[in-house]
Amino acid sequence: MTGARRLKLQVFRVVVLLLAGAFFLVPIGAMFEFSTRGVGDNAARTLSSWKQIFDYPDLIAGIVASLQLAAITSLVMLALLVPTMVWVRLKLPKLSRVIELICLLPLTIPAIVLVVGLWPIYQWMGNNFSDSILTLSFAYIILVLPYAYRALDAGLSAIDVKTLSEASRSLGAGWFTVMWRIIVPNIRSAILNASFLSVALVLGEYTIAQNLLYPNLQVEIVSLGRTNAGVSIAVAVASLLFAFLLLVLLSFFNRGPGRLRLKDLQQVMRSVKA
Amino acid sequence: MGGRRLSLDWIGAVPFLAYVTVFLGLPTIIITVGSLAGEGGPTLSNFANLSRPYIVSATINSITLSAVTAVAGAILGALVAYAIATGNPQGLLRRIATSACGVLAQFGGVTLAFAFIATIGPAGFVYLWMSQHHFDIYANGIWLYELRGLELVYLYFQIPLMVLVFLPAVDGIKPQWREATESLGGGTWHYWRYIAGPLLAPAFLGATLLLFANAFSAYATAAALVNQGGPVLPLQISNAITSEVGLHEPGFAKAQAVTMIVIVALVTVLYSLLQRRTARWLR
């Protein structure tokens, strides 16, 4: 690369990244600014909006509900998806395209559309089963399927599921041991990946909760925004930063594409014998 | 003993399939069947109701909003993606930028609305600062809560999505191609016009379509920003589910939902066709 062109490229990069940085950071900074305003003109900066978060029981209930939903959604998603994906790889390879298609389908069905179809189902569930806000996790598992599937698929493709499981089966391991002590430890970072994405998605979810009339975190933020904008903006920016932190952490856990290494096989031998 | 045909292996896939049948398949069936159901049997009258003026204008608004933000988001996002891709692939900048894009593109619907209210809303500090300097962006009325406002706010998640989906394509560009162009006597213009441009075009078009579908299905930002009326289709669907009028015509929301599915599905099919074309040289 010639010197002049490198300079031009550097100038281009700096200009674009600075402009993009400003466009994306100013609104987030503005939320901090707004949430630390005092009352009246020229009032001193105050953290009272942040402290007041705890004075709104509905908001706290929304936060708690969203955290519970995030935990339930991640766990059930993993329990449903990991064994199925492993099993399909081992025994039903013909089904793998179908499973992939099903998992990616929610990307083409907007949440607002899904809600139209979920409405009668949730009415029925509310009358016959439970109308707890936690039932939202049934819908959220569908919402996170595409992201979770991609993360887990990347993890499972990086290891040789078939060889690993045949090796442990031939050493006398049952299916439970294969799953729990061979496969799961080997796709740990993919599992983490899938769970973090699910948590972030559930914490930010508004469409389904609002239309099914369940007050989760985001619904409470919007309704509080009409009376006390300072507090609701404080919570909104906090939840955004939390999701951002999760994803930055995630980027450090992600290793490059792996392959079956001697170490993995040795680990198989060890854990089966233990 | 039983041979392959009697294998019971498929039982392992039953829990998953049962789950998606109930919570993904059933809703889809409810929508499709419901959109064709009337009081006296199958009917197309639910779809005829889509010609009501406010639905027509919401649909047109939705398509315009999605197209404008898709094209603008794609162009700006592509520039950002190129700026990121030409840096250190393992660097902190790229890590933070992609994580931030992930958050902004997918998880912030409501928050984005609030972010812009805090920035250029009537009490936002950028607006206050600008009006102190005799520059009133709301001289002709507050447009933040209208379609023009939605266009600006939607860019806030369209650009990051573009960066995420376009980055792999930009990463696929090899410096050797540039060198080959130069050794054949070509300059920067030739390189972009005849080499990189045509190679990136399918990925760019595909990503634009994805952005269109993304904006078209977005609900949370619009719902949090627009307080009354339903200028876009997702808001109309929400009205039709929850309002009194809507409850009298259960098929109406479903007909609108079918319209959305058809449009998004069309766009997605085009997208995956273009994606396949891109994948041919990316590997």
Side-chain angles (χ1 to χ4, degrees), chain A residues 5 13 24 87 138 210-211, chain B residues 9 19 83 156 182 219 238:
Chain A
R5 219 182 73 219
R13 292 192 61 211
F24 288 102
W87 188 254
F138 287 122
Q210 192 241 1
N211 282 291
Chain B
D9 287 345
Y19 189 90
Y156 205 83
E182 277 167 8
Y219 168 81
S238 173

Side-chain angles (χ1 to χ4, degrees), chain B residues 21-61:
Chain B
T21 308
V22 173
F23 288 101
L24 185 61
L26 190 56
T28 319
I29 293 170
I30 289 176
I31 294 169
T32 329
V33 173
S35 71
L36 295 168
E39 288 187 7
T43 170
L44 281 176
S45 71
N46 294 319
F47 286 95
N49 287 339
L50 294 178
S51 64
R52 290 174 188 171
Y54 60 94
I55 297 295
V56 173
S57 77
T59 311
I60 294 174
N61 283 342

Side-chain angles (χ1 to χ4, degrees), chain B residues 16-224:
Chain B
F16 173 80
L17 292 177
Y19 189 90
V20 291
T21 308
V22 173
F23 288 101
L24 185 61
L26 190 56
T28 319
I29 293 170
I30 289 176
I31 294 169
T32 329
V33 173
S35 71
L36 295 168
E39 288 187 7
T43 170
L44 281 176
S45 71
N46 294 319
F47 286 95
N49 287 339
L50 294 178
S51 64
R52 290 174 188 171
Y54 60 94
I55 297 295
V56 173
S57 77
T59 311
I60 294 174
N61 283 342
S62 264
I63 291 176
T64 321
L65 171 68
S66 311
V68 169
T69 60
V71 172
I75 293 171
L76 297 172
L79 291 177
V80 177
Y82 186 71
I84 292 175
T86 43
N88 175 5
Q90 297 296 325
L92 195 63
L93 172 80
R94 185 176 170 128
R95 238 182 247 283
I96 290 182
T98 46
S99 305
C101 286
V103 176
L104 296 175
Q106 309 286 3
F107 310 119
V110 166
T111 312
L112 301 190
F114 279 106
F116 275 84
I117 293 174
T119 315
I120 57 167
F125 89 101
V126 172
Y127 171 72
L128 293 178
W129 183 82
M130 287 203 299
S131 42
Q132 274 163 14
H133 293 78
H134 307 291
F135 184 76
D136 188 0
I137 48 171
Y138 295 137
N140 301 317
I142 299 174
W143 47 262
L144 178 62
Y145 308 109
E146 292 163 8
L147 271 182
R148 272 184 65 198
L150 284 184
E151 283 172 8
L152 178 70
V153 180
Y154 274 28
L155 277 184
Y156 205 83
F157 60 73
Q158 294 281 59
I159 295 176
L161 182 63
M162 181 65 182
V163 173
L164 286 184
V165 295
F166 198 56
L167 203 51
V170 184
D171 279 336
I173 296 183
K174 305 211 167 44
Q176 291 89 322
W177 299 343
R178 182 78 187 230
E179 287 156 16
T181 317
E182 277 167 8
S183 69
L184 291 169
T188 302
W189 161 251
H190 293 103
Y191 172 68
W192 284 106
R193 170 67 185 80
Y194 296 105
I195 313 291
L199 280 170
L200 288 176
F204 183 83
L205 283 179
T208 312
L209 289 173
L210 190 72
L211 262 60
F212 180 91
N214 187 45
F216 196 73
S217 17
Y219 168 81
T221 311

Side-chain angles (χ1 to χ4, degrees), chain A residues 197-261:
Chain A
L197 286 172
S198 309
V199 169
L201 203 119
V202 171
L203 291 184
E205 210 286 324
Y206 175 73
T207 309
I208 291 185
Q210 192 241 1
N211 282 291
L212 294 179
L213 311 176
Y214 286 115
N216 74 352
L217 168 63
Q218 301 290 333
V219 174
E220 288 295 347
I221 289 180
V222 171
S223 72
L224 188 60
R226 305 200 202 286
T227 50
N228 191 333
V231 175
S232 84
I233 285 181
V235 181
V237 71
S239 70
L240 189 75
L241 288 183
F242 184 69
F244 172 68
L245 268 181
L246 276 184
L247 291 206
V248 171
L249 270 181
L250 194 67
S251 76
F252 283 99
F253 280 115
N254 282 339
R255 296 176 303 179
R259 55 186 189 287
L260 188 64
R261 290 153 305 184

